[in-house]
mmCIF file of all heavy atoms in Angstrom:
data_model
loop_
_atom_site.group_PDB
_atom_site.id
_atom_site.type_symbol
_atom_site.label_atom_id
_atom_site.label_comp_id
_atom_site.label_asym_id
_atom_site.label_seq_id
_atom_site.Cartn_x
_atom_site.Cartn_y
_atom_site.Cartn_z
ATOM 1 N N VAL A 1 -1.030 75.129 -48.315
ATOM 2 C CA VAL A 1 -1.779 74.383 -47.298
ATOM 3 C C VAL A 1 -2.629 75.351 -46.465
ATOM 4 O O VAL A 1 -3.796 75.076 -46.172
ATOM 5 C CB VAL A 1 -0.822 73.564 -46.400
ATOM 6 C CG1 VAL A 1 -1.554 73.004 -45.192
ATOM 7 C CG2 VAL A 1 -0.178 72.446 -47.204
ATOM 8 N N GLY A 2 -2.051 76.495 -46.087
ATOM 9 C CA GLY A 2 -2.807 77.497 -45.347
ATOM 10 C C GLY A 2 -4.010 77.991 -46.130
ATOM 11 O O GLY A 2 -5.094 78.175 -45.582
ATOM 12 N N ALA A 3 -3.827 78.192 -47.434
ATOM 13 C CA ALA A 3 -4.934 78.643 -48.280
ATOM 14 C C ALA A 3 -6.036 77.589 -48.332
ATOM 15 O O ALA A 3 -7.225 77.914 -48.278
ATOM 16 C CB ALA A 3 -4.425 78.955 -49.684
ATOM 17 N N LEU A 4 -5.652 76.335 -48.418
ATOM 18 C CA LEU A 4 -6.638 75.256 -48.436
ATOM 19 C C LEU A 4 -7.400 75.216 -47.114
ATOM 20 O O LEU A 4 -8.621 75.060 -47.094
ATOM 21 C CB LEU A 4 -5.952 73.913 -48.695
ATOM 22 C CG LEU A 4 -6.854 72.689 -48.658
ATOM 23 C CD1 LEU A 4 -7.923 72.789 -49.743
ATOM 24 C CD2 LEU A 4 -6.045 71.422 -48.824
ATOM 25 N N CYS A 5 -6.685 75.367 -45.998
ATOM 26 C CA CYS A 5 -7.339 75.381 -44.679
ATOM 27 C C CYS A 5 -8.380 76.495 -44.608
ATOM 28 O O CYS A 5 -9.465 76.309 -44.060
ATOM 29 C CB CYS A 5 -6.305 75.561 -43.569
ATOM 30 S SG CYS A 5 -5.238 74.145 -43.332
ATOM 31 N N TRP A 6 -8.052 77.646 -45.165
ATOM 32 C CA TRP A 6 -8.987 78.777 -45.151
ATOM 33 C C TRP A 6 -10.229 78.465 -45.966
ATOM 34 O O TRP A 6 -11.344 78.748 -45.560
ATOM 35 C CB TRP A 6 -8.292 80.021 -45.685
ATOM 36 C CG TRP A 6 -9.207 81.204 -45.790
ATOM 37 C CD1 TRP A 6 -9.735 81.728 -46.919
ATOM 38 C CD2 TRP A 6 -9.705 82.000 -44.709
ATOM 39 N NE1 TRP A 6 -10.525 82.806 -46.626
ATOM 40 C CE2 TRP A 6 -10.529 82.996 -45.277
ATOM 41 C CE3 TRP A 6 -9.533 81.966 -43.338
ATOM 42 C CZ2 TRP A 6 -11.167 83.943 -44.518
ATOM 43 C CZ3 TRP A 6 -10.183 82.927 -42.575
ATOM 44 C CH2 TRP A 6 -10.988 83.895 -43.158
ATOM 45 N N ARG A 7 -10.051 77.833 -47.116
ATOM 46 C CA ARG A 7 -11.194 77.537 -47.978
ATOM 47 C C ARG A 7 -12.162 76.550 -47.341
ATOM 48 O O ARG A 7 -13.357 76.632 -47.555
ATOM 49 C CB ARG A 7 -10.722 77.026 -49.333
ATOM 50 C CG ARG A 7 -10.183 78.113 -50.228
ATOM 51 C CD ARG A 7 -10.021 77.644 -51.664
ATOM 52 N NE ARG A 7 -8.959 76.677 -51.818
ATOM 53 C CZ ARG A 7 -7.695 76.981 -52.069
ATOM 54 N NH1 ARG A 7 -7.337 78.236 -52.192
ATOM 55 N NH2 ARG A 7 -6.789 76.041 -52.213
ATOM 56 N N VAL A 8 -11.658 75.595 -46.563
ATOM 57 C CA VAL A 8 -12.530 74.575 -45.982
ATOM 58 C C VAL A 8 -12.924 74.875 -44.538
ATOM 59 O O VAL A 8 -13.679 74.128 -43.934
ATOM 60 C CB VAL A 8 -11.879 73.165 -46.060
ATOM 61 C CG1 VAL A 8 -11.627 72.778 -47.508
ATOM 62 C CG2 VAL A 8 -10.614 73.096 -45.233
ATOM 63 N N ALA A 9 -12.431 75.966 -43.984
ATOM 64 C CA ALA A 9 -12.743 76.315 -42.590
ATOM 65 C C ALA A 9 -14.216 76.687 -42.442
ATOM 66 O O ALA A 9 -14.807 77.276 -43.343
ATOM 67 C CB ALA A 9 -11.873 77.479 -42.127
ATOM 68 N N PRO A 10 -14.818 76.348 -41.289
ATOM 69 C CA PRO A 10 -16.218 76.735 -41.067
ATOM 70 C C PRO A 10 -16.357 78.256 -40.993
ATOM 71 O O PRO A 10 -15.421 78.965 -40.626
ATOM 72 C CB PRO A 10 -16.574 76.092 -39.719
ATOM 73 C CG PRO A 10 -15.309 75.575 -39.144
ATOM 74 C CD PRO A 10 -14.252 75.585 -40.194
ATOM 75 N N ALA A 11 -17.535 78.734 -41.344
ATOM 76 C CA ALA A 11 -17.783 80.182 -41.398
ATOM 77 C C ALA A 11 -17.530 80.864 -40.063
ATOM 78 O O ALA A 11 -16.997 81.976 -40.022
ATOM 79 C CB ALA A 11 -19.216 80.449 -41.862
ATOM 80 N N ARG A 12 -17.882 80.222 -38.942
ATOM 81 C CA ARG A 12 -17.691 80.868 -37.637
ATOM 82 C C ARG A 12 -16.212 81.101 -37.342
ATOM 83 O O ARG A 12 -15.841 82.073 -36.704
ATOM 84 C CB ARG A 12 -18.363 80.071 -36.528
ATOM 85 C CG ARG A 12 -17.728 78.754 -36.228
ATOM 86 C CD ARG A 12 -18.475 78.016 -35.099
ATOM 87 N NE ARG A 12 -17.833 76.770 -34.827
ATOM 88 C CZ ARG A 12 -17.979 75.650 -35.521
ATOM 89 N NH1 ARG A 12 -18.799 75.638 -36.566
ATOM 90 N NH2 ARG A 12 -17.340 74.552 -35.202
ATOM 91 N N LEU A 13 -15.333 80.224 -37.854
ATOM 92 C CA LEU A 13 -13.898 80.412 -37.668
ATOM 93 C C LEU A 13 -13.388 81.570 -38.526
ATOM 94 O O LEU A 13 -12.564 82.358 -38.088
ATOM 95 C CB LEU A 13 -13.128 79.139 -38.019
ATOM 96 C CG LEU A 13 -11.604 79.249 -38.012
ATOM 97 C CD1 LEU A 13 -11.112 79.523 -36.593
ATOM 98 C CD2 LEU A 13 -10.970 77.990 -38.545
ATOM 99 N N LYS A 14 -13.916 81.690 -39.720
ATOM 100 C CA LYS A 14 -13.472 82.748 -40.629
ATOM 101 C C LYS A 14 -13.826 84.137 -40.118
ATOM 102 O O LYS A 14 -13.250 85.120 -40.543
ATOM 103 C CB LYS A 14 -14.078 82.543 -42.018
ATOM 104 C CG LYS A 14 -13.507 81.365 -42.759
ATOM 105 C CD LYS A 14 -14.128 81.274 -44.135
ATOM 106 C CE LYS A 14 -13.569 80.123 -44.918
ATOM 107 N NZ LYS A 14 -14.134 80.062 -46.260
ATOM 108 N N ARG A 15 -14.780 84.228 -39.215
ATOM 109 C CA ARG A 15 -15.190 85.536 -38.702
ATOM 110 C C ARG A 15 -14.206 86.101 -37.686
ATOM 111 O O ARG A 15 -14.260 87.279 -37.387
ATOM 112 C CB ARG A 15 -16.580 85.439 -38.081
ATOM 113 C CG ARG A 15 -17.685 85.372 -39.116
ATOM 114 C CD ARG A 15 -19.038 85.586 -38.483
ATOM 115 N NE ARG A 15 -19.416 84.515 -37.582
ATOM 116 C CZ ARG A 15 -20.139 83.447 -37.926
ATOM 117 N NH1 ARG A 15 -20.553 83.313 -39.167
ATOM 118 N NH2 ARG A 15 -20.451 82.526 -37.049
ATOM 119 N N THR A 16 -13.319 85.291 -37.151
ATOM 120 C CA THR A 16 -12.379 85.806 -36.154
ATOM 121 C C THR A 16 -11.251 86.548 -36.848
ATOM 122 O O THR A 16 -10.800 86.165 -37.928
ATOM 123 C CB THR A 16 -11.792 84.666 -35.296
ATOM 124 O OG1 THR A 16 -10.967 83.842 -36.111
ATOM 125 C CG2 THR A 16 -12.878 83.841 -34.648
ATOM 126 N N GLU A 17 -10.797 87.604 -36.229
ATOM 127 C CA GLU A 17 -9.727 88.428 -36.808
ATOM 128 C C GLU A 17 -8.440 87.634 -36.961
ATOM 129 O O GLU A 17 -7.735 87.750 -37.955
ATOM 130 C CB GLU A 17 -9.493 89.661 -35.928
ATOM 131 C CG GLU A 17 -8.505 90.646 -36.505
ATOM 132 C CD GLU A 17 -8.940 91.210 -37.850
ATOM 133 O OE1 GLU A 17 -10.137 91.398 -38.070
ATOM 134 O OE2 GLU A 17 -8.055 91.456 -38.689
ATOM 135 N N LEU A 18 -8.114 86.806 -35.977
ATOM 136 C CA LEU A 18 -6.893 86.011 -36.038
ATOM 137 C C LEU A 18 -6.929 85.047 -37.226
ATOM 138 O O LEU A 18 -5.950 84.918 -37.954
ATOM 139 C CB LEU A 18 -6.690 85.230 -34.737
ATOM 140 C CG LEU A 18 -5.463 84.320 -34.695
ATOM 141 C CD1 LEU A 18 -4.191 85.146 -34.877
ATOM 142 C CD2 LEU A 18 -5.427 83.543 -33.401
ATOM 143 N N ALA A 19 -8.056 84.409 -37.436
ATOM 144 C CA ALA A 19 -8.172 83.469 -38.556
ATOM 145 C C ALA A 19 -8.013 84.197 -39.888
ATOM 146 O O ALA A 19 -7.337 83.710 -40.791
ATOM 147 C CB ALA A 19 -9.513 82.742 -38.509
ATOM 148 N N ARG A 20 -8.641 85.370 -39.994
ATOM 149 C CA ARG A 20 -8.493 86.139 -41.245
ATOM 150 C C ARG A 20 -7.042 86.513 -41.471
ATOM 151 O O ARG A 20 -6.540 86.468 -42.586
ATOM 152 C CB ARG A 20 -9.373 87.382 -41.203
ATOM 153 C CG ARG A 20 -10.812 87.115 -41.571
ATOM 154 C CD ARG A 20 -11.547 88.406 -41.900
ATOM 155 N NE ARG A 20 -11.577 89.327 -40.793
ATOM 156 C CZ ARG A 20 -12.509 89.339 -39.845
ATOM 157 N NH1 ARG A 20 -13.482 88.476 -39.864
ATOM 158 N NH2 ARG A 20 -12.471 90.220 -38.879
ATOM 159 N N LYS A 21 -6.356 86.885 -40.398
ATOM 160 C CA LYS A 21 -4.954 87.274 -40.515
ATOM 161 C C LYS A 21 -4.084 86.087 -40.914
ATOM 162 O O LYS A 21 -3.257 86.171 -41.804
ATOM 163 C CB LYS A 21 -4.471 87.869 -39.175
ATOM 164 C CG LYS A 21 -3.031 88.265 -39.169
ATOM 165 C CD LYS A 21 -2.814 89.446 -40.070
ATOM 166 C CE LYS A 21 -1.373 89.882 -40.001
ATOM 167 N NZ LYS A 21 -0.875 90.279 -41.281
ATOM 168 N N LEU A 22 -4.282 84.949 -40.245
ATOM 169 C CA LEU A 22 -3.435 83.782 -40.501
ATOM 170 C C LEU A 22 -3.717 83.132 -41.842
ATOM 171 O O LEU A 22 -2.806 82.812 -42.590
ATOM 172 C CB LEU A 22 -3.622 82.741 -39.391
ATOM 173 C CG LEU A 22 -3.084 83.113 -38.021
ATOM 174 C CD1 LEU A 22 -3.436 82.032 -37.019
ATOM 175 C CD2 LEU A 22 -1.581 83.322 -38.076
ATOM 176 N N PHE A 23 -4.999 82.913 -42.136
ATOM 177 C CA PHE A 23 -5.329 82.129 -43.327
ATOM 178 C C PHE A 23 -5.669 82.981 -44.535
ATOM 179 O O PHE A 23 -5.396 82.603 -45.662
ATOM 180 C CB PHE A 23 -6.468 81.158 -43.021
ATOM 181 C CG PHE A 23 -6.100 80.144 -41.986
ATOM 182 C CD1 PHE A 23 -6.750 80.113 -40.768
ATOM 183 C CD2 PHE A 23 -5.087 79.238 -42.215
ATOM 184 C CE1 PHE A 23 -6.406 79.187 -39.806
ATOM 185 C CE2 PHE A 23 -4.736 78.303 -41.253
ATOM 186 C CZ PHE A 23 -5.398 78.273 -40.048
ATOM 187 N N GLY A 24 -6.288 84.144 -44.315
ATOM 188 C CA GLY A 24 -6.623 85.012 -45.442
ATOM 189 C C GLY A 24 -5.383 85.481 -46.182
ATOM 190 O O GLY A 24 -5.309 85.450 -47.399
ATOM 191 N N ASP A 25 -4.355 85.907 -45.437
ATOM 192 C CA ASP A 25 -3.100 86.320 -46.059
ATOM 193 C C ASP A 25 -2.425 85.142 -46.750
ATOM 194 O O ASP A 25 -1.819 85.294 -47.804
ATOM 195 C CB ASP A 25 -2.147 86.912 -45.021
ATOM 196 C CG ASP A 25 -2.598 88.285 -44.523
ATOM 197 O OD1 ASP A 25 -3.615 88.797 -45.034
ATOM 198 O OD2 ASP A 25 -1.942 88.817 -43.629
ATOM 199 N N ALA A 26 -2.528 83.955 -46.161
ATOM 200 C CA ALA A 26 -1.920 82.767 -46.765
ATOM 201 C C ALA A 26 -2.557 82.462 -48.108
ATOM 202 O O ALA A 26 -1.871 82.079 -49.057
ATOM 203 C CB ALA A 26 -2.056 81.568 -45.826
ATOM 204 N N GLU A 27 -3.865 82.643 -48.198
ATOM 205 C CA GLU A 27 -4.538 82.405 -49.472
ATOM 206 C C GLU A 27 -4.051 83.391 -50.530
ATOM 207 O O GLU A 27 -3.778 83.010 -51.670
ATOM 208 C CB GLU A 27 -6.050 82.511 -49.308
ATOM 209 C CG GLU A 27 -6.790 82.195 -50.587
ATOM 210 C CD GLU A 27 -8.296 82.227 -50.411
ATOM 211 O OE1 GLU A 27 -8.787 82.725 -49.383
ATOM 212 O OE2 GLU A 27 -8.969 81.751 -51.331
ATOM 213 N N LEU A 28 -3.910 84.662 -50.156
ATOM 214 C CA LEU A 28 -3.397 85.651 -51.099
ATOM 215 C C LEU A 28 -1.972 85.308 -51.528
ATOM 216 O O LEU A 28 -1.636 85.383 -52.706
ATOM 217 C CB LEU A 28 -3.420 87.049 -50.472
ATOM 218 C CG LEU A 28 -4.769 87.728 -50.348
ATOM 219 C CD1 LEU A 28 -4.626 89.034 -49.581
ATOM 220 C CD2 LEU A 28 -5.385 87.957 -51.705
ATOM 221 N N ARG A 29 -1.131 84.936 -50.558
ATOM 222 C CA ARG A 29 0.266 84.618 -50.877
ATOM 223 C C ARG A 29 0.353 83.421 -51.813
ATOM 224 O O ARG A 29 1.195 83.385 -52.706
ATOM 225 C CB ARG A 29 1.065 84.382 -49.598
ATOM 226 C CG ARG A 29 1.272 85.645 -48.806
ATOM 227 C CD ARG A 29 2.357 85.524 -47.758
ATOM 228 N NE ARG A 29 2.327 84.335 -46.953
ATOM 229 C CZ ARG A 29 1.676 84.212 -45.795
ATOM 230 N NH1 ARG A 29 1.000 85.224 -45.314
ATOM 231 N NH2 ARG A 29 1.721 83.092 -45.117
ATOM 232 N N ALA A 30 -0.502 82.424 -51.612
ATOM 233 C CA ALA A 30 -0.492 81.247 -52.490
ATOM 234 C C ALA A 30 -0.937 81.634 -53.897
ATOM 235 O O ALA A 30 -0.342 81.188 -54.884
ATOM 236 C CB ALA A 30 -1.397 80.154 -51.929
ATOM 237 N N ARG A 31 -1.970 82.448 -53.982
ATOM 238 C CA ARG A 31 -2.487 82.832 -55.296
ATOM 239 C C ARG A 31 -1.480 83.664 -56.081
ATOM 240 O O ARG A 31 -1.322 83.500 -57.281
ATOM 241 C CB ARG A 31 -3.788 83.609 -55.115
ATOM 242 C CG ARG A 31 -4.442 83.960 -56.446
ATOM 243 C CD ARG A 31 -5.723 84.738 -56.293
ATOM 244 N NE ARG A 31 -6.508 84.318 -55.163
ATOM 245 C CZ ARG A 31 -7.227 85.160 -54.414
ATOM 246 N NH1 ARG A 31 -7.247 86.446 -54.682
ATOM 247 N NH2 ARG A 31 -7.928 84.723 -53.394
ATOM 248 N N TYR A 32 -0.791 84.584 -55.402
ATOM 249 C CA TYR A 32 0.083 85.526 -56.093
ATOM 250 C C TYR A 32 1.571 85.215 -55.952
ATOM 251 O O TYR A 32 2.394 85.956 -56.472
ATOM 252 C CB TYR A 32 -0.179 86.946 -55.592
ATOM 253 C CG TYR A 32 -1.553 87.441 -55.947
ATOM 254 C CD1 TYR A 32 -2.540 87.572 -54.980
ATOM 255 C CD2 TYR A 32 -1.867 87.775 -57.253
ATOM 256 C CE1 TYR A 32 -3.801 88.033 -55.303
ATOM 257 C CE2 TYR A 32 -3.117 88.240 -57.586
ATOM 258 C CZ TYR A 32 -4.085 88.370 -56.608
ATOM 259 O OH TYR A 32 -5.327 88.828 -56.938
ATOM 260 N N ARG A 33 1.918 84.155 -55.234
ATOM 261 C CA ARG A 33 3.317 83.768 -55.008
ATOM 262 C C ARG A 33 4.121 84.924 -54.417
ATOM 263 O O ARG A 33 5.183 85.284 -54.914
ATOM 264 C CB ARG A 33 3.958 83.281 -56.299
ATOM 265 C CG ARG A 33 3.396 81.999 -56.805
ATOM 266 C CD ARG A 33 4.076 81.478 -58.017
ATOM 267 N NE ARG A 33 5.110 82.332 -58.559
ATOM 268 C CZ ARG A 33 5.704 82.157 -59.707
ATOM 269 N NH1 ARG A 33 5.377 81.166 -60.462
ATOM 270 N NH2 ARG A 33 6.638 82.974 -60.122
ATOM 271 N N THR A 34 3.604 85.519 -53.361
ATOM 272 C CA THR A 34 4.303 86.606 -52.681
ATOM 273 C C THR A 34 4.672 86.161 -51.271
ATOM 274 O O THR A 34 4.055 85.260 -50.718
ATOM 275 C CB THR A 34 3.429 87.871 -52.582
ATOM 276 O OG1 THR A 34 2.228 87.561 -51.878
ATOM 277 C CG2 THR A 34 3.093 88.420 -53.952
ATOM 278 N N GLY A 35 5.657 86.793 -50.720
ATOM 279 C CA GLY A 35 6.079 86.498 -49.357
ATOM 280 C C GLY A 35 5.193 87.193 -48.340
ATOM 281 O O GLY A 35 4.445 88.118 -48.670
ATOM 282 N N PRO A 36 5.284 86.772 -47.066
ATOM 283 C CA PRO A 36 4.412 87.354 -46.040
ATOM 284 C C PRO A 36 4.657 88.841 -45.800
ATOM 285 O O PRO A 36 3.708 89.600 -45.613
ATOM 286 C CB PRO A 36 4.714 86.532 -44.787
ATOM 287 C CG PRO A 36 5.985 85.822 -45.055
ATOM 288 C CD PRO A 36 6.119 85.706 -46.537
ATOM 289 N N ARG A 37 5.912 89.279 -45.828
ATOM 290 C CA ARG A 37 6.190 90.699 -45.572
ATOM 291 C C ARG A 37 5.654 91.577 -46.700
ATOM 292 O O ARG A 37 5.102 92.641 -46.452
ATOM 293 C CB ARG A 37 7.694 90.909 -45.389
ATOM 294 C CG ARG A 37 8.192 90.365 -44.063
ATOM 295 C CD ARG A 37 9.670 90.474 -43.850
ATOM 296 N NE ARG A 37 10.232 91.735 -44.274
ATOM 297 C CZ ARG A 37 11.502 91.908 -44.583
ATOM 298 N NH1 ARG A 37 12.349 90.915 -44.514
ATOM 299 N NH2 ARG A 37 11.947 93.085 -44.956
ATOM 300 N N PHE A 38 5.838 91.146 -47.940
ATOM 301 C CA PHE A 38 5.346 91.919 -49.079
ATOM 302 C C PHE A 38 3.827 91.990 -49.046
ATOM 303 O O PHE A 38 3.240 93.073 -49.191
ATOM 304 C CB PHE A 38 5.822 91.286 -50.392
ATOM 305 C CG PHE A 38 5.328 92.015 -51.615
ATOM 306 C CD1 PHE A 38 5.936 93.187 -52.023
ATOM 307 C CD2 PHE A 38 4.259 91.536 -52.348
ATOM 308 C CE1 PHE A 38 5.487 93.870 -53.155
ATOM 309 C CE2 PHE A 38 3.799 92.207 -53.467
ATOM 310 C CZ PHE A 38 4.420 93.374 -53.872
ATOM 311 N N THR A 39 3.183 90.847 -48.827
ATOM 312 C CA THR A 39 1.719 90.818 -48.791
ATOM 313 C C THR A 39 1.181 91.708 -47.680
ATOM 314 O O THR A 39 0.252 92.488 -47.897
ATOM 315 C CB THR A 39 1.220 89.369 -48.599
ATOM 316 O OG1 THR A 39 1.771 88.551 -49.633
ATOM 317 C CG2 THR A 39 -0.298 89.305 -48.654
ATOM 318 N N GLU A 40 1.769 91.605 -46.504
ATOM 319 C CA GLU A 40 1.332 92.423 -45.376
ATOM 320 C C GLU A 40 1.524 93.915 -45.669
ATOM 321 O O GLU A 40 0.655 94.739 -45.375
ATOM 322 C CB GLU A 40 2.098 92.043 -44.118
ATOM 323 C CG GLU A 40 1.643 92.798 -42.888
ATOM 324 C CD GLU A 40 2.441 92.405 -41.656
ATOM 325 O OE1 GLU A 40 2.894 91.257 -41.576
ATOM 326 O OE2 GLU A 40 2.600 93.286 -40.788
ATOM 327 N N ALA A 41 2.653 94.269 -46.284
ATOM 328 C CA ALA A 41 2.924 95.678 -46.602
ATOM 329 C C ALA A 41 1.908 96.216 -47.613
ATOM 330 O O ALA A 41 1.404 97.333 -47.455
ATOM 331 C CB ALA A 41 4.344 95.836 -47.138
ATOM 332 N N ILE A 42 1.601 95.426 -48.631
ATOM 333 C CA ILE A 42 0.624 95.874 -49.638
ATOM 334 C C ILE A 42 -0.753 96.024 -49.001
ATOM 335 O O ILE A 42 -1.455 97.011 -49.240
ATOM 336 C CB ILE A 42 0.571 94.891 -50.832
ATOM 337 C CG1 ILE A 42 1.858 94.970 -51.648
ATOM 338 C CG2 ILE A 42 -0.652 95.155 -51.718
ATOM 339 C CD1 ILE A 42 2.091 96.290 -52.343
#
């Protein structure tokens, strides 16, 4: 769901660091089936 939110979010929202942190990592985790700690560490 987080990954979907990131894909449909307006461009101005995607430019904020918080949005990239919250939704960008979620998209990676959904694509690769990894947990938040592993993704953040990598």
Side-chain angles (χ1 to χ4, degrees):
V1 169
L4 177 62
C5 290
W6 176 255
R7 284 193 291 271
V8 299
R12 69 180 181 279
L13 174 66
K14 289 182 179 182
R15 284 193 294 267
T16 67
E17 186 61 34
L18 178 61
R20 278 196 299 272
K21 178 69 177 141
L22 291 176
F23 297 116
D25 289 357
E27 183 177 13
L28 285 174
R29 290 196 314 269
R31 184 181 323 144
Y32 294 108
R33 293 184 356 190
T34 59
R37 287 177 42 202
F38 179 78
T39 304
E40 183 181 330
I42 290 295

